[in-house]
Amino acid sequence: MQAELESLKKDFERFLKNKGGKITKGRFEIIDMIAKYGTRFEIEDLVQWIYSQNKNIVSRSTIYKTVQLLREFGAIREVMKLNDRTIYEFVLGKQHHESKCMQGDLESLKRDFERFLKNKGGKITKGRFEIIDMIANYGAHFEIEDLVRWISSQNKNVASRSTIYRTVRLLQEFGAIREVIKLNNRTIYEFVVGKQHHEHLICVECGKIIEFNKEEIEQLQEKVCEEYDFTPINHRLEIFGICSDCKGNRVG
């Protein structure tokens, strides 16, 4: 356990350097505390437990930010959403680093999703796991109806329309699919397995979605939260405008 923990810290330090993030003693102390906590957790429960062990370790916002970074890194993952609760898990020894192949991430997700379904008393069927493979192959932001049509065009026998819709909703509840934007009457989703946290530029003319990640934005958000003594839980940034292609068409 200790050797795995030290290996994780070294990898996490490299991850922070690559992002241009702060490398502080407090962040590594938080990793030690999370490892000692040793169970699935809600972030606020974890924060309270850490303070019960050491009130001087770091600020509340730093704990939240470190958990967010560990999620991007792959050492913490969202297990499920239950009513208003979001449950996370520390996955030491089976981290989902970006360098791992997508297939490994998918197989791990399927195992976790199977446990999620069992806990909900839901049906565990071959069709639901085939749908996960199809969504991963689709590889883009999607509207559910577009996804349904594409899956049917690839394999009409994979599952019924209602099963695809229901599986997408369950994957959204599980945390593997998230709603990106609502634009006019459209709701756009994305499959987040193996992806770092990112923001979106959205073209209001053609609907193009551009993903980007800027550490400066993350640092500014952390600074603002600290300034207002505000505890962040999650966030998403969407910038609406006109893409370069559409601007070029206007000029033409």
Side-chain angles (χ1 to χ4, degrees):
M1 173 70 171
Q2 190 59 37
E4 289 179 338
L5 196 58
E6 292 307 313
S7 177
L8 179 143
K9 288 178 185 176
K10 289 177 183 176
D11 290 342
F12 186 56
E13 183 174 355
R14 284 193 290 271
F15 168 78
L16 290 174
K17 284 180 180 177
N18 290 337
K19 281 179 66 70
K22 293 178 183 177
I23 300 170
T24 63
K25 179 182 176 183
R27 282 192 166 150
F28 294 99
E29 288 176 341
I30 291 169
I31 292 175
D32 289 331
M33 298 297 281
I34 293 172
K36 289 178 183 177
Y37 193 70
T39 60
R40 293 181 174 187
F41 61 89
E42 292 180 79
I43 296 182
E44 188 56 29
D45 288 345
L46 175 70
V47 169
Q48 290 172 5
W49 182 81
I50 288 175
Y51 279 132
S52 74
Q53 304 297 303
N54 183 352
K55 290 182 179 179
N56 299 316
I57 186 168
V58 284
S59 68
R60 179 181 296 269
S61 62
T62 299
I63 297 173
Y64 269 83
K65 178 61 177 177
T66 302
V67 168
Q68 180 183 327
L69 287 166
L70 286 167
R71 287 186 65 198
E72 282 189 44
F73 171 66
I76 287 176
R77 64 183 168 209
E78 184 175 296
V79 179
M80 70 180 75
K81 290 184 182 291
L82 186 61
N83 299 324
D84 293 327
R85 302 170 60 207
T86 302
I87 310 300
Y88 299 91
E89 181 180 41
F90 188 51
V91 292
L92 178 63
K94 45 183 177 178
Q95 299 98 323
H96 299 289
H97 302 308
E98 288 179 84
S99 59
K100 292 185 73 176
C101 66
M102 181 65 170
Q103 190 59 38
D105 286 338
L106 278 177
E107 293 308 313
S108 179
L109 177 139
K110 288 176 187 176
R111 289 192 295 270
D112 292 340
F113 187 55
E114 183 174 354
R115 286 194 290 270
F116 169 77
L117 291 173
K118 284 179 180 177
N119 290 337
K120 283 181 66 71
K123 293 180 180 178
I124 300 169
T125 63
K126 179 183 177 183
R128 281 192 165 152
F129 295 98
E130 289 176 341
I131 290 168
I132 291 175
D133 289 329
M134 299 294 282
I135 293 172
N137 288 333
Y138 192 69
H141 299 94
F142 62 88
E143 293 180 78
I144 296 181
E145 189 57 32
D146 289 343
L147 177 70
V148 169
R149 285 196 293 265
W150 182 82
I151 289 176
S152 297
S153 74
Q154 302 298 304
N155 184 350
K156 292 182 179 179
N157 300 316
V158 67
S160 67
R161 177 184 298 270
S162 62
T163 298
I164 297 171
Y165 267 84
R166 176 63 178 157
T167 301
V168 168
R169 297 304 183 201
L170 286 167
L171 285 166
Q172 188 180 3
E173 183 179 346
F174 173 65
I177 286 175
R178 67 181 170 209
E179 181 182 304
V180 180
I181 57 165
K182 289 184 182 291
L183 183 61
N184 300 324
N185 293 321
R186 304 169 60 205
T187 303
I188 311 298
Y189 300 88
E190 68 179 344
F191 190 52
V192 297
V193 175
K195 283 193 172 186
Q196 282 192 345
H197 172 78
H198 56 269
E199 320 297 354
H200 297 97
L201 305 174
I202 302 132
C203 180
V204 297
E205 295 202 352
C206 70
K208 179 189 292 184
I209 300 172
I210 301 168
E211 297 179 357
F212 71 95
N213 177 273
K214 293 292 183 183
E215 179 62 23
E216 297 94 324
I217 293 175
E218 302 301 318
Q219 291 174 352
L220 178 59
Q221 289 173 152
E222 182 177 0
K223 183 179 178 181
V224 169
C225 288
E226 289 179 354
E227 181 180 344
Y228 288 92
D229 191 23
F230 185 81
T231 301
I233 298 174
N234 56 55
H235 78 275
R236 68 184 190 189
L237 174 62
E238 300 156 359
I239 301 175
F240 294 85
I242 302 170
C243 71
S244 58
D245 290 341
C246 289
K247 285 192 290 187
N249 291 338
R250 281 184 170 187
V251 172

